[in-house]
Amino acid sequence: MTQSFLQYIHYVEFGGGEGNTMALILGLGGGYRHDSSACLVQDGRIVAFAEEERFRRVKHNRGSRSCSLSAAWCLSRAGARLRDVDAVVIAFNPRWPEPAPDAIDDPHLTAAHLDPGHFGGDRPERLHLVEHHLAHAASAFYCSGFDESAVLVVDGYGDGVTTSIGRGGPDGITFTRQYPYHQSLGWFYEAVTQHVGLGDFTSAGKTMGLAGYGEPRYDLDFLRTTADGYEIDLSRYGLRSTLTGGGLAEFYARYLRACSAALTAITGPAHRADLRYDPATGRMSGPPGFTRTQADLAASAQLALERGLSALAREALAGSPSRRLCVAGGVGLNCSANGVLWRTAGATDMFVQPAAGDAGCAIGAALEHARRIGDLPAGRTRLTGAGLGPAFDDAAIRDTLDAYGITAADHGDDITGPVAKHLAAGHTVGWFQDGMEGGPRALGHRSILADPRTTASRDRINSVVKRREMWRPLAPSMLADAAGEYIDGPAGPADFMIVAYRASAAARSRIPATVHVDGTLRPQLVEEASEPRYARLLAGFAAETGVPVLLNTSFNHEAEPIVCTPTDALRTFFAGPLDVLALGGHLISKSGRL
Ligand SMILES: [Fe+2]
């Protein structure tokens, strides 16, 4: 058990759940050994959700199915033990290609997800199963607030499927078409990310950012958009779609090799990251820029992806009685593509699950199981906040500061005033408030904030705060009633910084640090009712500067997960160049002068 987890257990506020007769359901993500997570559902409501990486401090929790720390935290949030849980549900079929049973009794698989050592020796007798793409779809549809909706799920691969379209309604979710594993758009985008030298599937967001700098001049003709979807044909590059003795893992490697051969034939050899050791930072770093070929390939891949997704979304909407659209799956984290869907697919409303990747499967698995047993009430409200993780009140934060002997000014609810002045003075701020967000976007609970009025803020955060590529875009949080001023065209969903919109002329001139080179921004619109302290901070910054917008990026360094506990925040703050840290109502500086 990690130090940070023990600290959380010490501080957590227990409550809720007593005397309830409805089922307690624990959903688990991470069956494919990355992005494992846990979600506790009670009365059909999400009680708690968190990713395992935040507790283990290992980004994406690569190579592990363990959800032990996140599950233990979820249970503690409800004052429950593992033995109190009515059903533990996983979001994949370990017996694929055999059909998924309703539940399995597999002690090794169970122990891989939940180490009994974290649960007083308790272990569930069985694991209930929800098919992987159904879990993705459920994570969006049952959080959307829609009574009916078209559904689009696109990821790398899960239970033999890579893309699903269908609809959700009062009787649950049905898929009208599913694409098999050898048609993977997620793997295609991963292959491109590797080819341009940016990393693996966890770096897909970099490719999306790089695409803004390029021209889509390459015809990636092995990915063809059709009237109702897309088709990937890599047979010319030696890919046979049949599985061999190595199963999916072996096919995945063959797929990436064939994709790489295709990209080499069309654009030239793969680009290698020119890693070098920087003694000043003690880190390996890559080249600061990129070539025209790299940017143009990224742009070409992004365009091909967007065309395929748009065709899929239109087909899903055509098969649905509703003009609303729900999106999930790892490709659903592509903000630029989501913006294109919003502008072109013809949906009247859209909901993208903020934890669209495999972490969100814990949410979907739990909610889908709740529906199956009649525990999911009708008339569900839309999820508008992602702060479903650990929270720490000011007393707990004070205890942490005292334990480390750290001096802080206690401003309580008035913390927004001095923080707004720091931001207006050009300082970078660590902002730690309320429950930790689920999903990869920080939304004003575990954020690094800066002045959006100058691109120097973006450059400073990329270069010395986050220590990453200088060309990476950064996003704005803004008061909701300012959306019309900074977004060109009608604003669609903007709760989770997961949909890119065209920036207005005012945005380009007043908040340039948050406008990407392609003329888009991906805003978080902040409502006073749901985020009162963050809204007061934005209003305070507007009082200082006339601009109700802040540059907002996740509170972490490039190589670490988003901070979870006050100790994590203090460690990241003191190890880097952030100027001040707001921990709840406490303000901390490195000099001790505030
Ligand atoms: Fe997935």
Side-chain angles (χ1 to χ4, degrees), residues 3-12 54-55 57 73 389-404 406 408 430-436 445-446 555 560 562-575 578 581-586 588:
Q3 183 182 4
S4 59
F5 181 68
L6 285 168
Q7 181 196 40
Y8 176 73
I9 290 295
H10 178 68
Y11 291 131
V12 69
R54 309 292 169 85
F55 302 91
R57 310 307 302 157
W73 171 75
F392 302 83
D393 62 19
D394 272 350
I397 290 169
R398 180 78 261 167
D399 286 348
T400 301
L401 294 170
D402 289 346
Y404 294 125
I406 293 171
W431 178 252
F432 181 105
Q433 309 288 336
D434 303 318
M436 181 183 69
H445 293 198
R446 301 288 187 276
F555 194 163
E560 69 170 355
I562 295 174
V563 300
C564 177
T565 65
T567 293
D568 297 335
L570 288 164
R571 186 186 300 118
T572 298
F573 173 65
F574 283 110
L578 285 173
L581 170 61
L583 272 183
H586 294 83
I588 301 146

Side-chain angles (χ1 to χ4, degrees), residues 132 136 155 358:
H132 187 76
H136 273 308
D155 66 0
D358 275 11

Side-chain angles (χ1 to χ4, degrees), residues 7 15 86 158 227 231 254 299 324 340 424 449 466 470 549 589:
Q7 181 196 40
D86 296 284
E231 181 181 12
R254 279 197 284 133
R324 305 181 186 107
V340 171
L449 305 177
K466 305 279 280 199
M470 290 294 286
V549 184
S589 77

Side-chain angles (χ1 to χ4, degrees), residues 32 34 132-133 136 153-158 329-330 356-358 361:
Y32 289 101
H34 62 85
H132 187 76
H133 271 221
H136 273 308
V153 176
V154 186
D155 66 0
Y157 153 85
D358 275 11
C361 286

Side-chain angles (χ1 to χ4, degrees), residues 211-235:
Y213 294 88
E215 293 294 329
R217 65 186 167 99
Y218 295 117
D219 179 13
L220 307 180
D221 58 1
F222 59 93
L223 167 53
R224 191 171 61 85
T225 305
T226 63
D228 58 359
Y230 70 94
E231 181 181 12
I232 292 174
D233 181 1
L234 287 162
S235 60

